[in-house]
Amino acid sequence: MESRILLESTSVKTPFRIDGRKPHEVRSLTCRLGVFQQADGSSYVKLGNTQVLATVYGPHDTRGKSNPEKSIINCKFRLSTFSKSTRRNLHRDIRSIEISNNLTQVFDSAILTELYPHSQIDIYLEVVQSDGSDYAACINAASLAIIDAGIPIKDVVCACSAGFIDNQPITDINAVEESSNGTPILTIGMLPKDKQILSMESSGGIHLDNLNDVMDAAIEGCKSVLFIMKQTILNHIQELKD
Amino acid sequence: MFCVPGDRLCVADDKNLGGRGTFLKGSYIYAALAGKVNIIENKDENIFEVMPHGNFVRKIPQVGDVVTCQVEKIVSNQCKCLIKCIADSVLKQPFKAIIRKEDVRATDKDNVELYTCFRPGDIILAKIIGLSESGYLLSTASNEFGVVIARSENGVLMVPVSWTEMMCPEFKVKETRKVARIAIESDSNASTSSKQSNNNF
Amino acid sequence: MAEVKLSEGEKCYLIHGINDNFRIDGRSCWDRREIDLEINLLPSCVGSAQIRSVNCSVIAGVKMSLVPPDPGRPGKGKIEFFADISANADPLFEGRGGQGIVVELVSFFEDSYKDCSLLDCLTVVEGKSVWCLSIDILILEIGSKASLYDLCSIAVKAALYDTRLPKVYVNPDTMDIEIPDDPFDIMRLDISQIPVFVTVTRIGNSYIIDPTQEEEASSISSLLFSVNNCGTLLHSKKLGLGSLHCDPIKELIPKISVVALELHDFIEDQCKSLTS
């Protein structure tokens, strides 16, 4: 089992991570809205090397039972076969189903579903390239796609992951840090205005004493992500108006 | 002024009201869409609304809308249709709807034979009167609702003759339908509007 | 891939225009729409390419592995295809919804690449070990089904151009295989013999390429040809319902080789300008 130095201290005060980032630095984030013409709303998010495409269809008629009080949200997450270094089997992936369910819950709380009873909103996510923080990138991409579709939502939902290595909380985990043994990871999806947490998922063991610091790191990461997402949305609207 | 969802627009009180694209929380009005903020100033009140980019609003059928549908199948006591347009806007995906036997006509409701009023494939104008499990509830119980476009058994487009009959112009055969009385603005507009409605379907 | 509904009048207008070599978007019958090509976008694949056209978007990724060869073909490598339509294209393709289109696409690719000269370059140790290239095609957006085949073939050819295989050193005495660690010690593939697909659609009295959704809805049927740069027809298929007359097909054949050569040149030029 090779050991890797994930956190290297050149000085006591500023350790560097394996990709050269400081502990609280988020990777470079690029977003684009309106990538596909045929979907009602679509977006593309590139967080470091993780690339995610999101599309939204709806609100339209339900396929099956309908809810007379609100719209049904149907969210499907998928990792494409070439997203990781080993080829994946598309159709028997329990982790994808779990993430799809989590995403459905997140957006069910955020979208104003009471406005569209008896209808269904479909959100589809495709991870083209996976390099850590897939879940967080998906929440960001789905949020942008919903805004592009013109579906009313309470706030710009943003998400970020955080971890804990060598007694140091770090923000925005990449694939190398994720796959190394024993790194606890926490992903938080939130409504930034009211600081309401819609999704909190952690894996690996975090001692309760450290949980506060890791949560703070994730929330700080969400703020950086939110700033870029808001800029992208405003640029997109202004371009369309011109 | 441009906004993103979650932006606080103003305090909610007697003078300031939230319109389309906004929601109320606590004592403030927030934006729910990304777009341009529009303030409509009336005498005693200001209405804040958000116009989404692209300037179109997501629409689903509401109770009271006049809709254009296509008949799918006819069962003994109801007629299943697909809603294709709401007022002037064509929907990307149709919605399921039903017309019950007692909602077809305003007079003589109990003695209605559905097969003499509608046939599968007809295009109908109707009004939404409610929501049910199997789709929207429609009513054609008014003069201006009913069959607009229908093809005869030979496949030829028929012409309305009276409020209960349509005639095939080639074979001169009459078939029974519940025909809609579409208001004609003027004679010259009538021919262009009927050509337009043919081209949409 | 929403079905477009056209009235009789609109179809008539479209067909009359095409008979006069004038399509509804202003192109002539043999003009193709603009294609955007991008290569080397996926770090996890040895070769990758993305094609974007007006309303069609396809990503192709190539992965490699060392496997024993087929017993009947000891000196040839292997190429496997796998395709999938993302639900991004239409809610109909959620889960296994796109299997119908995908199965047809994959079997056409496999038949076209069966005897490709590329396979000879993929041998490492004859009889013991060959490269197997697994090509994954991800369809993100579909406009018309006819132009889908053409664009997928361009994406695969560009991805194979981009493929970087490590140079393998074989010890002649022990027949042991050594793969170097140097990421720049690579070999590129010669893509000149790789086929491209050309789909021609019959509308009215003429054949067109790259139909829009409205044109496809008014068409009778389509023919799909797989042609390499020497003008050899590797595989062909008729797509869709509707019947075609023999004589126009014979007149079509010289034009197909011209179109195929143009596509081959386009791909080579684009790839060279992207890598330089």
Side-chain angles (χ1 to χ4, degrees), chain C residues 69-76 78 126-127:
Chain C
D70 278 338
R73 288 141 68 95
K76 289 196 184 254
K78 290 189 193 175
E126 188 161 327

Side-chain angles (χ1 to χ4, degrees), chain A residues 1-241:
Chain A
M1 187 63 197
E2 51 170 66
S3 65
R4 285 188 200 151
I5 304 171
L6 290 171
L7 209 54
E8 192 158 347
S9 299
T10 48
S11 77
V12 177
K13 284 191 185 157
T14 51
F16 287 103
R17 292 153 74 172
I18 199 167
D19 52 5
R21 282 185 288 157
K22 297 207 187 101
H24 288 295
E25 212 179 306
V26 174
R27 287 175 288 181
S28 77
L29 174 66
T30 335
C31 328
R32 274 206 312 262
L33 289 172
V35 204
F36 295 131
Q37 282 78 32
Q38 300 204 142
D40 292 331
S42 56
S43 71
Y44 167 74
V45 164
K46 186 164 192 264
L47 179 63
N49 273 334
T50 302
Q51 299 176 29
V52 179
L53 281 162
T55 44
V56 171
Y57 287 92
H60 55 71
D61 208 9
T62 49
R63 269 168 274 139
K65 275 200 164 173
S66 66
N67 190 333
E69 288 161 27
K70 54 185 201 155
S71 180
I72 298 177
I73 309 283
N74 171 34
C75 197
K76 287 281 183 291
F77 165 89
R78 213 171 67 159
L79 279 167
S80 54
T81 43
F82 41 65
S83 54
K84 292 200 174 163
S85 42
T86 50
R87 288 188 69 228
R88 319 180 27 82
N89 187 343
L90 268 186
H91 297 295
R92 269 179 283 159
D93 196 0
I94 299 179
R95 176 81 182 128
S96 291
I97 299 175
E98 192 191 332
I99 296 185
S100 303
N101 288 339
N102 287 344
L103 286 165
T104 310
Q105 283 170 6
V106 165
F107 289 102
D108 209 13
S109 335
I111 296 178
L112 298 170
T113 49
E114 312 81 46
L115 294 174
Y116 300 114
H118 279 284
S119 71
Q120 181 175 334
I121 298 176
D122 291 321
I123 308 172
Y124 298 116
L125 289 150
E126 186 91 30
V127 176
V128 176
Q129 182 70 24
S130 162
D131 192 30
S133 296
D134 299 341
Y135 184 46
C138 284
I139 293 182
N140 295 328
S143 177
L144 287 173
I146 291 168
I147 293 172
D148 184 44
I151 296 176
I153 189 171
K154 288 179 193 158
D155 200 343
V156 181
V157 184
C158 53
C160 193
S161 59
F164 200 74
I165 298 179
D166 288 344
N167 288 325
Q168 171 74 38
I170 51 174
T171 314
D172 194 19
I173 312 291
N174 65 21
V176 175
E177 290 161 347
E178 214 173 68
S179 59
S180 71
N181 260 351
T183 313
I185 300 172
L186 174 75
T187 310
I188 286 189
M190 61 189 286
L191 292 172
K193 225 7 169 275
D194 303 322
K195 298 201 176 38
Q196 303 267 34
I197 291 184
L198 292 172
S199 162
M200 187 160 114
E201 246 211 353
S202 82
S203 62
I206 306 179
H207 199 279
L208 288 172
D209 293 342
N210 299 324
L211 183 60
N212 258 339
D213 294 331
V214 179
M215 270 180 71
D216 286 339
I219 293 173
E220 280 301 315
C222 286
K223 284 190 192 159
S224 325
V225 164
L226 176 71
F227 178 71
I228 297 182
M229 281 167 68
K230 276 196 173 169
Q231 285 295 100
T232 313
I233 300 171
L234 286 170
N235 289 341
H236 183 72
I237 309 172
Q238 280 163 351
E239 258 174 36
L240 283 178
K241 290 289 182 195

Side-chain angles (χ1 to χ4, degrees), chain B residues 108-128:
Chain B
D108 199 15
K109 286 185 195 181
D110 305 323
N111 298 331
V112 167
E113 278 276 345
L114 272 176
Y115 210 63
T116 59
C117 299
F118 306 122
R119 295 280 171 94
D122 289 353
I123 307 288
I124 312 180
L125 260 181
K127 187 169 167 176
I128 300 184

